[in-house]
Amino acid sequence: MSKLGLIIRREYLAKVRNKSFVIMTFLSPILMVGMVVLIAYLTKVNDSDKRVIAILNESSYFQNDFTITPSTSYVTFKALSLEKAMDSTSNMGFYGLLHIPESTSLLTAAENSSFYTRDTPSSSVVDIIENVFQERIREEKLESMGVSSAQYADIRDQYEIRTATFTGKVNVKGINEIKAIIGGGFGYMIMMFIIIYGGFVMRSVIEEKTSRVIEVIISSVKPFQLMLGKIIGNSLAGITQFAIWIISAALLMSALVVFLDIDPSGLNNSASMAGGGMSSLAPNPAADNATLQRYAEELFQIPWLMLIFFFVLYFLLGYLIYSSIYAAIGAAVDNETDTQQFIFPIILPLMLAIYVGFFSVFNNPHGPIAVGFSLFPLTSPIVMMMRLPGGIGEGGVPLWQVLASLVLLFGTFMGIVWLAAKIYRVGILMYGKKPSYKELIKWLRY
């Protein structure tokens, strides 16, 4: 075990003292925060560009139906021909011209109306205009049936059914999707960490193999100890860098928000501004506040400490499994170019876990697909993290599934380390020949 400790210490110090490692450790948070700030700024600039729409209304309908929204404003043309109105719209730089021809009925006016623009119009703007016509046509039809404006307003009231569990706990619509996104964020972090830092282990093995240093080291250390030491040493270096990234990025973002008065919700505001005029239904602040309060309560009730604990657990076990595979690949090849034929089969389960996990957990977190992928060792670190925000036990992930996935993960890790050590034992001394899958199977039999 003393030799294993020396290998771990050597791998860790060699990695953290590397100049590129140090530079990227402190430069990456600046780049990440800068990218977020740039996106927020560009989104704000994009949203501040209000579209001006000219209206040539030759009918007696739709006179006061177009109201200013955060993304659109209107200018009315009168006593102009369509040709002159289009020229004026183009010359004045307006976004487009809405032409409502003279008609004997509201329905005919709506059917014969046209919207002219220089290029293909934005779908959000078209939705705003279409929604105005649709609401007025619907109201006109209901009034012809004897339905008053007050009755029509009452008809438009939205309905949302109350849902609750058998124990009486009130559910919030869409909370499962939100929890899946939170868990998916943890799962995505695991995937990115494996892809980035798994390559560290592989490159470390290739460097020592090509420099023939491995021939000296292997004479005093068993291949299994050497491989395990590399995996643990590089993983500790990666965790150190990852922790510095998270802490420094959080501090930097907080400083920018406080001192530069940056609105961190700017990215969300753009979505609400874009759809500000897509619905003519009057907002209900009291209902919106109550809904937001219920969502906040649901998010507060998420077992965050448990989630972080299992994130660390699945994070470590998942990384150890994949880094063992990366180490075996590094031992089997002579340079990084030869690793391309082996990389895709490794990344495929990770990609599958992200995409299948999102589709299955979103729709049914306790369905057979979600359960199966959360138990399968190569995908369970990601898919199980998507299910865990719902809690463990009643209403959440059954305890036996969590324990089974952890046991399978640990057993798979030990099995892959054993198999990878057999490849490592033969591969680290092989030079000048690109191995095939058939040869790797032979090495496992030695």
Side-chain angles (χ1 to χ4, degrees), residues 363-374:
N363 297 324
N364 186 6
H366 305 298
I369 301 299
V371 173
F373 276 85
S374 64

Side-chain angles (χ1 to χ4, degrees), residues 50-277:
K50 180 174 287 189
R51 300 178 176 94
V52 180
I53 298 174
I55 299 177
L56 178 61
N57 191 349
E58 299 174 341
S59 72
S60 58
Y61 307 101
F62 307 104
Q63 295 297 326
N64 299 311
D65 292 316
F66 293 93
T67 58
I68 296 176
T69 70
S71 59
T72 59
S73 61
Y74 303 93
V75 174
T76 302
F77 288 157
K78 294 183 178 180
L80 289 179
S81 65
L82 178 58
E83 291 74 15
K84 289 183 179 180
M86 292 177 66
D87 291 338
S88 298
T89 300
S90 179
N91 294 332
M92 298 178 71
F94 294 160
Y95 183 79
L97 171 66
L98 174 62
H99 176 229
I100 304 175
E102 184 177 359
S103 303
T104 57
S105 67
L106 183 142
L107 183 59
T108 304
E111 290 177 346
N112 295 328
S113 297
S114 301
F115 183 53
Y116 301 95
T117 56
R118 293 187 187 88
D119 301 313
T120 303
S122 170
S123 59
S124 61
V125 175
V126 175
D127 287 340
I128 293 173
I129 297 173
E130 289 179 344
N131 192 72
V132 172
F133 281 99
Q134 182 178 352
E135 286 296 316
R136 284 290 291 117
I137 292 171
R138 183 183 292 118
E139 185 177 357
E140 178 76 10
K141 290 181 177 180
L142 289 173
E143 286 180 355
S144 66
M145 299 176 186
V147 179
S148 65
S149 298
Q151 290 173 326
Y152 175 54
D154 184 61
I155 291 173
R156 290 189 305 171
D157 286 345
Q158 293 181 333
Y159 170 77
E160 183 176 325
I161 191 171
R162 179 181 180 272
T163 61
T165 63
F166 290 121
T167 59
K169 179 183 177 182
V170 178
N171 296 320
V172 180
K173 184 179 180 180
I175 193 64
N176 285 337
E177 288 78 3
I178 295 176
K179 290 179 179 180
I181 291 174
I182 294 173
F186 283 110
Y188 188 77
M189 289 172 63
I190 293 175
M191 184 189 73
M192 293 305 299
F193 189 90
I194 289 173
I195 293 176
I196 295 173
Y197 295 102
F200 281 7
V201 180
M202 183 178 64
R203 282 188 289 272
S204 176
V205 174
I206 293 175
E207 288 172 3
E208 290 185 351
K209 181 179 177 179
T210 54
S211 63
R212 302 299 177 90
V213 176
I214 196 70
E215 296 179 358
V216 178
I217 298 176
I218 203 66
S219 61
S220 57
V221 181
K222 294 180 179 180
F224 181 83
Q225 287 182 314
L226 183 58
M227 183 187 69
L228 194 59
K230 283 183 172 295
I231 293 172
I232 297 175
N234 280 277
S235 63
L236 290 176
I239 292 172
T240 301
Q241 187 180 60
F242 204 61
I244 293 175
W245 282 357
I246 294 176
I247 295 173
S248 56
L251 293 176
L252 185 58
M253 180 61 75
S254 301
L256 288 174
V257 170
V258 173
F259 294 106
L260 299 182
D261 193 25
I262 295 176
D263 185 6
S265 62
L267 293 175
N268 294 330
N269 289 341
S270 62
S272 62
M273 291 178 68

Side-chain angles (χ1 to χ4, degrees), residues 296-313:
E297 291 174 354
E298 285 287 341
L299 292 176
F300 183 76
Q301 292 176 3
I302 292 178
W304 291 103
L305 292 178
M306 178 273 293
L307 199 61
I308 293 173
F309 171 77
F310 280 104
F311 167 72
V312 174
L313 202 58

